[in-house]
Each structure stands twice: as structure tokens, then as C-alpha cells.
């Protein structure tokens, strides 16, 4: 099994990181939404990670013509999406599988979505149940909860759906289905989850509005959408590993240009700021999304923090934030984060097991954890096949050294992560 050995960081670093991975959520959406146009889309800086390349391959299987040179992608959609002659493999990507469910539910044909062993164990009922309610024919193990999922696409009824969970994946799947429904549909969530789908589809000409009561109103498509003309910004969730690195290494500083400053994505930076790190945000452009530079600098020992609100805005960054919490003065607490249990791994269990291995005291709750700040010891960390666990504890390795086992998963979202980390310390792969 692949391993990384990270040495302690012996001197402070001051780096501008131009090569942070492009945004995963936006890249998935580019591959899929380009299929809703009748003209070629041009996507620059597409994430060439395994997850998003899987979404692009699926677009090809559905009839798109894809020309790709590194991250530059030209995607010409077919006149009509084609019934593929093989299964559609989403790899490790929950976003890929859940959004394609919504996109394909209203398309004539037979489609089988599958993925790796981790994805095949993750709950899909959250999208398949509301889609079944509006007429979609979807089945799979546990009555449509577990992949492989079979979709027999057909006509869909307009809906009014109030989601019990704040999930951008569920919201996006339902919005994509609504575009092919037989009338205007209404979707509401308790708390706004990341809103790339609404922003991008609106930018392509779809009618998606939020009314005074918080319902998202989606009109079915009358004609194909405008093509995408987009440069994917850097991924704040990937940037955050280096933000934590700068916040815990005395004298360190990182500048991350070209990153999305969408408020639904940068909450973890706000929490790190609350813990005492010096953070600056410079807005530079606004194309589908606000984009700019984030600078993070060490500013003394971090202080403990309690996090129980706006969880959807920092859910992916909680593992890296847990490393910051473990270095802080005092006891930090995370609550209302039960969603962590159904990510690429059970991230409550995998974060706490890794912290325990490093000698940090923790307490587990059904929906979160408490972490008592302390001193890291070097340890052997099992990533559980979860990219964010592997990268979070590689960053913890900057403090005292760390060995991380099962690191292939890093290629799903941030293929050059260890190259960038090598600019900070010695890394043996
Ligand atoms: C994503 C939404 C989030 C996030 C995931 C990507 C997306 O999941 O954790 O990494 O691109 O829509 P949920 O919306 O299911 O919470």
C-alpha cells in the first residue's frame, strides 16, 4: 500500500501557491452542465483529479466530444444524450454520482451508475427517494440506497420539496431534474448549502430564482443553455490544508491566488481566523463566482473554538481544522456535524482515530467531537481511503513528522498535493 513519510518542517516558509488544485465541485458541474447546451463549452483549469475526470468520461459516454489538454477542456455536447453501452463509473465521487442521478432521471434511456468500494457504501437514498417521488425510475441495492444504481430515464413531475438535509448534492440533483420536469419546481433547504449549481446554471441562462420565503424556483428548460466559458478557480478546500500549515508553523505565510471567495466555501478560513491566524481576503474578479487571493500567516499559538453553526459551509474542511484544533490552547468542540459520518469515510471516526494515534485527547459525539489541544507525536496514520484524512495528517506531520498509509486517494482531488508540500518540508513517497 502506498505511503508518505513527512518530515518536520524546520524553518518557516513564505510561499505563493499558484498550483492549488482547481475546484472539485465546480469542475464536476462543468463536465455535466456543458451537456445542457447545444454548443461547445470552453473550460480552463479543469481539475484533472480522478473524481472529476470520471465525470468527464461519463459525459463522453453520454455522447459528448471532449478534447482535453491538461486542464483545458473543450466539450461539444451531443444533440441528444446517448444511451451508453457500458456502466458509468463515478470512481470515488459522491458529487458525480448524486448529480448524475438528477441529470439522467429525466433523460430517455437506461443508465447504470457505479463507483469504487467506498462510494458503493455511501447513502444515495437522499437523492433517489425524492427523485422516485417525482416519477424517476431508479433502483439499486437496499431499494435504491446503494450503488450500482439503475436509472430508467423518463418523464418527471414538477415538485415542491423541502429537504431534510442541507446538502448541495441533493439540491443540485433536484435542480437538474427540475430542468426536465413538466412545470416550475420548488426546492427549499434549512440553511443555504454551497450554491455553485444555482450560480452556474443561472449564468448559462436557466431561470432559477429564490423567492421571499427561501424557495428556489426552477423553470423547466425551453431551449438549450448557453455554453460555459469558464476558468475554474482554485479549490478553497484544497487551499485550506496549506492555510492550516501556515497557521501552525511559527513564522510561516502562504498566499493563495485565484481561489473562489464564495461565502458558502470559505467559512473554515473564518474559523481559523477566529482561532487567531492572520487571514486576508482580496477580491479580484467576479465570474459566476467571486474570486481572489487569500493570505494566511502564523500569528501565535491558536486558541480553541466551538463550531456548531454554518456546518454545511465548512464540512469538507473539518478534518484539517481538527489538526489546527489539536494544536490550540484549550478544548475545541464541533457539533451538528453528523454528515461527517457519511463522507468518503466516517470522518468522525477516522479523524479521532488518527488524533488518538498522535497522542491527542478527544471525545466523540454522535454528531461531532471535542479535541483538547496538546502536542503531536509522530504516528502511522491510516487514511481509510479518504483523501482529506491523508492530507490533513500530512500537514500535522509538519509539526513532528508523520507516516501516512494508503495515500493513493489524494489523487481524487489534489494530485499535486505532495509536490506542493515538498516546497515546505521533506516528503518521501
Ligand atoms: C459537494 C457538496 C458537499 C461536499 C462535497 C461536494 C458538491 O456535500 O461535502 O465534497 O460539490 O455539491 P453535501 O452537499 O452532500 O453535503
Amino acid at each position: 500500500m502506498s505511503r508518505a513519510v513527512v518530515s518536520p518542517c524546520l524553518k518557516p516558509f513564505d510561499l505563493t501557491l499558484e498550483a492549488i488544485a482547481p475546484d472539485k465541485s465546480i469542475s464536476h458541474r462543468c463536465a455535466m452542465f456543458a451537456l445542457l447546451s447545444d454548443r461547445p463549452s470552453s473550460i480552463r483549469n479543469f481539475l484533472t483529479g480522478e473524481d472529476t475526470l470520471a465525470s468527464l468520461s461519463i459525459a463522453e459516454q453520454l455522447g459528448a466530444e471532449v478534447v482535453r489538454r491538461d486542464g483545458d477542456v473543450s466539450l461539444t455536447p451531443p444533440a441528444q444524450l446517448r444511451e451508453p453501452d457500458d456502466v458509468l463509473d463515478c470512481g470515488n465521487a459522491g458529487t458525480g454520482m448524486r448529480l448524475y442521478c438528477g441529470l439522467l432521471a429525466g433523460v430517455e434511456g437506461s443508465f447504470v451508475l457505479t463507483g469504487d468500494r467506498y462510494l458503493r457504501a455511501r447513502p444515495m437514498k437522499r437523492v433517489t427517494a425524492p427523485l422516485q417521488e417525482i416519477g424517476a425510475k431508479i433502483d439499486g441495492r437496499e431499494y435504491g440506497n446503494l450503488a450500482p444504481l439503475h436509472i430508467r430515464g423518463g418523464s418527471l413531475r414538477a415538485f415542491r420539496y423541502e429537504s431534510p438535509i442541507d446538502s448541495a448534492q441533493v439540491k443540485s440533483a433536484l435542480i437538474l431534474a427540475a430542468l426536465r420536469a413538466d412545470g416550475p419546481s420548488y426546492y427549499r433547504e434549512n440553511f443555504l448549502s454551497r450554491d455553485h449549481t444555482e450560480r452556474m446554471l443561472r449564468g448559462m441562462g436557466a431561470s432559477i430564482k429564490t423567492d421571499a420565503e427561501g424557495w428556489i424556483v426552477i423553470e423547466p428548460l425551453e431551449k438549450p443553455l448557453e455554453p460555459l466559458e469558464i476558468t475554474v478557480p482554485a479549490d478553497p478546500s484544497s487551499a485550506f490544508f496549506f492555510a492550516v500549515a501556515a497557521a501552525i508553523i511559527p513564522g510561516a505565510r502562504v498566499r493563495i491566488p485565484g481561489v473562489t471567495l464564495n461565502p458558502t466555501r470559505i467559512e473554515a478560513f473564518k474559523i481559523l481566523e477566529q482561532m487567531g491566524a492572520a487571514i486576508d481576503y482580496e477580491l479580484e474578479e467576479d465570474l459566476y463566482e467571486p474570486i481572489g487571493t487569500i493570505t494566511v500567516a502564523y500569528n501565535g499559538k491558536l486558541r480553541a473554538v466551538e463550531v456548531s453553526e454554518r456546518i454545511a459551509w465548512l464540512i469538507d474542511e473539518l478534518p484539517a481544522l481538527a489538526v489546527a484544533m489539536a494544536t490550540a490552547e484549550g478544548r475545541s468542540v464541533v457539533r451538528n456535524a453528523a454528515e461527517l459520518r457519511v463522507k468518503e469515510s466516517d470522518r468522525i471516526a477516522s479523524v479521532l482515530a488518527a488524533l488518538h494515534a498522535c497522542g491527542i485527547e478527544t471525545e466523540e459525539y454522535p454528531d461531532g467531537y471535542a479535541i483538547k489541544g496538546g502536542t503531536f507525536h509522530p504516528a502511522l496514520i491510516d487514511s481509510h481511503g479518504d483523501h482529506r484524512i491523508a492530507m490533513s495528517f500530512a500537514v500535522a506531520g509538519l509539526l513532528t513528522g508523520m507516516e501516512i498509509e494508503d495515500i493513493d486517494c489524494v489523487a481524487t482531488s489534489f494530485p499535486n498535493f505532495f509536490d506542493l508540500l515538498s516546497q515546505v518540508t521533506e516528503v518521501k513517497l
Side-chain angles (χ1 to χ4, degrees):
M1 204 178 277
S2 56
R3 277 192 185 187
V5 181
V6 179
S7 302
C9 173
L10 299 175
K11 51 182 186 341
F13 49 90
D14 187 353
L15 292 172
T16 296
L17 296 173
E18 307 270 2
I20 291 288
D23 193 76
K24 183 150 80 82
S25 291
I26 297 176
S27 296
H28 276 299
R29 286 163 172 77
C30 284
M32 298 179 199
F33 298 176
L35 296 172
L36 304 175
S37 180
D38 58 351
R39 276 166 291 149
S41 282
S42 162
I43 306 151
R44 283 170 300 276
N45 204 36
F46 183 84
L47 171 61
T48 55
E50 288 169 2
D51 273 12
T52 45
L53 288 176
S55 282
L56 201 56
S57 297
I58 292 175
E60 270 183 304
Q61 284 177 274
L62 296 170
E65 201 185 298
V66 173
V67 179
R68 180 173 75 82
R69 203 183 307 135
D70 299 325
D72 282 347
V73 175
S74 157
L75 190 156
T76 307
Q80 299 230 301
L81 293 186
R82 179 173 76 200
E83 186 176 60
D85 62 5
D86 203 350
V87 299
L88 305 172
D89 187 352
C90 302
N92 187 245
T95 308
M97 182 166 288
R98 295 190 177 120
L99 270 62
Y100 267 123
C101 270
L103 191 145
L104 294 173
V107 176
E108 285 295 328
S110 164
F111 310 94
V112 177
L113 290 167
T114 190
D116 68 12
R117 67 189 167 101
Y118 301 104
L119 185 57
R120 293 196 309 272
R122 292 179 64 189
M124 294 297 143
K125 195 115 210 143
R126 52 184 58 202
V127 292
T128 57
L131 289 171
Q132 283 159 346
E133 268 173 43
I134 62 168
K137 297 185 187 65
I138 308 183
D139 206 354
R141 289 176 298 139
E142 292 182 6
Y143 300 97
N145 188 35
L146 297 179
L149 298 174
H150 176 252
I151 303 173
R152 158 63 56 195
S155 53
L156 299 176
R157 291 185 293 276
F159 59 86
R160 180 176 283 270
Y161 184 67
E162 187 138 29
S163 179
I165 46 173
D166 304 325
S167 158
Q169 295 179 354
V170 175
K171 173 172 66 178
S172 303
L174 271 288
I175 289 177
L176 288 166
L179 294 178
R180 296 185 201 269
D182 61 1
S185 296
Y186 296 76
Y187 183 93
R188 189 158 73 173
E189 53 193 347
N190 286 318
F191 179 74
L192 177 72
S193 62
R194 66 186 67 184
D195 58 355
H196 307 299
T197 295
E198 299 93 298
R199 287 173 187 260
M200 289 171 70
L201 290 175
R202 242 184 246 133
M204 294 172 78
S207 170
I208 300 179
K209 298 190 181 108
T210 304
D211 73 12
E213 285 155 24
W215 289 97
I216 303 173
V217 188
I218 311 115
E219 301 286 344
L221 290 185
E222 283 170 2
K223 56 180 179 20
L225 294 176
E226 295 295 316
L228 280 165
E229 213 17 88
I230 190 172
T231 300
V232 178
D235 193 318
S237 310
S238 297
F240 194 67
F241 297 110
F242 290 92
V244 170
I248 63 176
I249 299 296
R253 192 174 85 122
V254 287
R255 277 184 80 247
I256 301 149
V259 66
T260 173
L261 299 179
N262 181 326
T264 66
R265 296 295 304 281
I266 57 168
E267 183 67 11
F269 291 85
K270 307 277 172 178
I271 300 293
L272 199 57
E273 209 175 343
Q274 218 177 304
M275 294 174 78
I279 307 195
D280 183 59
Y281 312 83
E282 258 172 274
L283 177 67
E284 275 141 17
E285 52 180 321
D286 207 328
L287 177 66
Y288 302 100
E289 302 267 328
I291 295 169
T293 298
I294 301 184
T295 306
V296 182
Y298 181 83
N299 191 29
K301 195 170 169 62
L302 296 174
R303 297 180 296 274
V305 71
E306 301 208 354
V307 182
S308 60
E309 287 171 1
R310 291 195 279 276
I311 293 295
W313 289 10
L314 49 60
I315 191 86
D316 289 346
E317 293 76 34
L318 283 173
L321 201 57
V323 169
M325 288 170 169
T327 70
E329 193 71 56
R331 187 172 178 272
S332 294
V333 180
V334 173
R335 295 309 296 253
N336 297 328
E339 272 296 300
L340 283 176
R341 298 224 180 253
V342 289
K343 292 295 176 187
E344 285 83 328
S345 66
D346 173 345
R347 285 186 176 155
I348 293 181
S350 43
V351 162
L352 296 188
L355 287 176
H356 180 74
C358 296
I360 302 292
E361 273 180 54
T362 62
E363 197 178 330
E364 179 169 356
Y365 310 123
D367 64 341
Y369 40 75
I371 299 174
K372 185 161 173 263
T375 306
F376 271 90
H377 303 309
L380 175 64
I381 303 295
D382 178 358
S383 76
H384 295 269
D386 184 335
H387 55 138
R388 298 204 197 280
I389 302 297
M391 292 187 275
S392 299
F393 284 85
V395 167
L398 299 178
L399 295 166
T400 50
M402 202 71 74
E403 198 165 340
I404 300 114
E405 196 167 52
D406 197 1
I407 56 159
D408 290 345
C409 49
V410 168
T412 59
S413 68
F414 200 165
N416 59 333
F417 170 78
F418 285 110
D419 295 339
L420 294 188
L421 196 66
S422 302
Q423 293 184 31
V424 172
T425 194
E426 193 190 345
V427 181
K428 284 203 196 100
L429 297 177

